[in-house]
Amino acid sequence: MATDATPHAPSRPTSDAPARTAARPAPQPAELGLGRLYLRRFVRNRPAVAGVVIFLLLVLFSAFGGRFTSYAYTDADFTALTRPPGAAHWFGTNQGGDDIYACAVHGLQRSLVIAVSVSVLTIVVAALVGAGAAYAGGRVERATLALVHFLLIVPSFLVLALVSHRLAGDWRVLIVVLTVFGWMPTARVIWSVSTSLRERDYVTAARFMGVGPLRIVLRHIIPNLGSLLIVNLTLGVVTTVLSETALSFLGFGVQTPDVSLGTMLADGAGTVTSAPWLFAFPAGLVVLLTVSMTLIGDGLRDALDPTSVTGSAGGRR
């Protein structure tokens, strides 16, 4: 039998193959976690990133800057009194022969310890009092708000100055005093926000399940105030630095032989024209510290608030 020599035409794909290919869903981009989303929003804010860089440099300077000089902040070089910046003393010396560079390192370290400690303690006290009063309601809430409003009208600066002066300017006592008179404004804001959180379903459910009030406040209310607490913690460092500097400048804060940026500003205020380096270097550190923390606080507020311009732009891209 003769066979057909004509080659067979290649088989065409069935009509349902393209349909199956088209019906296959397109790959979706991986969903960002909440932490990574906040980080991406924050990184997109260039001033905030610059603030982080400046703050880290200041921390490194306060931690390791003393290794680059042979002088301590308590050492006096009586052969170089009120000497301008030079090879031996990078930032110059004061009237007593103290090395300004060594004093600046220690003063920045002391101011950072005070500022961070007071800011953390203030947020903790304000969160517990504000959220606790909002959850308790009734007489407890009214009594707490009355106490907060009373303390807000007390001239706290005069009390701070009096207590700090009577206790010889110990920086540890200064931390306690600044905390005692600094938590009220933040507690008022936290109470205002917590009054809406106490009506949420998860708080009501926890209450019906027999969860204790303290546990509800710590596990269900305060964690939902995270963005507010973080921003206030950052900006609280700025407020504390300015308060400590003002008190030390007026002689009510850190006292000699200890050194802070405020005491250095007080020492250099009278010699701005004759020895400007005594005032310029600590003033520059205060400006850098406050500006960096302000930029970081603004960046965190924008990153944690999706309605902000930076947060919205970061969320779209």
Side-chain angles (χ1 to χ4, degrees):
M1 182 188 302
T3 59
D4 188 4
T6 304
H8 294 284
S11 60
R12 296 181 180 179
T14 58
S15 58
D16 59 342
R20 288 196 301 268
T21 304
R24 187 176 303 166
Q28 299 292 331
E31 185 178 356
L32 289 176
L34 193 59
R36 294 182 59 186
L37 179 61
Y38 289 154
L39 179 61
R40 189 176 70 170
R41 290 175 178 172
F42 183 84
V43 171
R44 290 177 59 85
N45 192 328
R46 293 183 179 179
V49 175
V52 172
V53 172
I54 295 173
F55 180 73
L56 291 179
L57 290 177
L58 291 175
V59 172
L60 292 176
F61 176 75
S62 66
F64 305 105
R67 299 185 179 184
F68 300 100
T69 179
S70 58
Y71 292 93
Y73 74 97
T74 55
D75 296 338
D77 185 1
F78 296 107
T79 63
L81 303 180
T82 319
R83 186 70 59 84
H89 301 279
W90 294 352
F91 289 2
T93 60
N94 60 11
Q95 300 89 336
D98 299 324
D99 186 77
I100 299 301
Y101 175 85
C103 292
V105 172
H106 181 79
L108 178 60
Q109 185 182 72
R110 178 66 70 235
S111 295
L112 280 174
V113 170
I114 294 174
V116 174
S117 300
V118 171
S119 184
V120 171
L121 292 174
T122 298
I123 287 297
V124 171
V125 175
L128 291 176
V129 174
Y135 176 76
R139 295 181 179 178
V140 175
E141 183 179 26
R142 291 192 295 271
T144 303
L145 290 179
L147 174 64
V148 170
H149 293 158
F150 172 76
L151 293 176
L152 284 174
I153 63 175
V154 171
S156 58
F157 184 82
L158 297 179
V159 179
L160 284 170
L162 178 62
V163 174
S164 301
H165 182 69
R166 291 293 299 272
L167 295 176
D170 188 351
W171 63 272
R172 299 176 185 84
V173 176
L174 186 61
I175 290 176
V176 176
V177 174
L178 288 174
T179 302
V180 169
F181 289 95
W183 60 270
M184 294 83 69
T186 306
R188 184 69 170 76
V189 175
I190 292 175
W191 166 82
S192 178
V193 178
S194 299
T195 52
S196 62
L197 294 179
R198 68 185 178 187
E199 305 299 334
R200 297 293 178 88
D201 294 337
Y202 52 83
V203 175
T204 305
R207 186 186 303 115
F208 285 147
M209 292 174 62
V211 180
L214 180 61
R215 188 177 180 87
I216 291 177
V217 171
L218 295 178
R219 294 288 300 274
H220 299 285
I221 296 181
I222 291 181
N224 287 280
L225 300 169
S227 59
L228 176 64
L229 298 180
I230 291 173
V231 173
N232 279 275
L233 174 66
T234 307
L235 298 179
V237 174
V238 179
T239 304
T240 306
V241 167
L242 296 177
S243 299
E244 183 273 325
T245 302
L247 287 172
S248 299
F249 183 85
L250 296 175
F252 299 119
V254 177
Q255 302 293 325
T256 55
D258 203 352
V259 177
S260 72
L261 295 179
T263 59
M264 295 184 67
L265 290 175
D267 293 339
T271 59
V272 174
T273 56
S274 59
W277 61 88
L278 298 181
F279 186 84
F281 289 112
L285 291 176
V286 171
V287 170
L288 288 175
L289 182 56
T290 54
V291 168
S292 65
M293 295 307 298
T294 301
L295 293 176
I296 293 173
D298 291 341
L300 288 173
R301 181 178 56 199
D302 292 342
L304 297 173
D305 183 8
T307 62
S308 65
V309 175
T310 306
S312 301
R316 290 194 301 266
R317 298 189 180 183

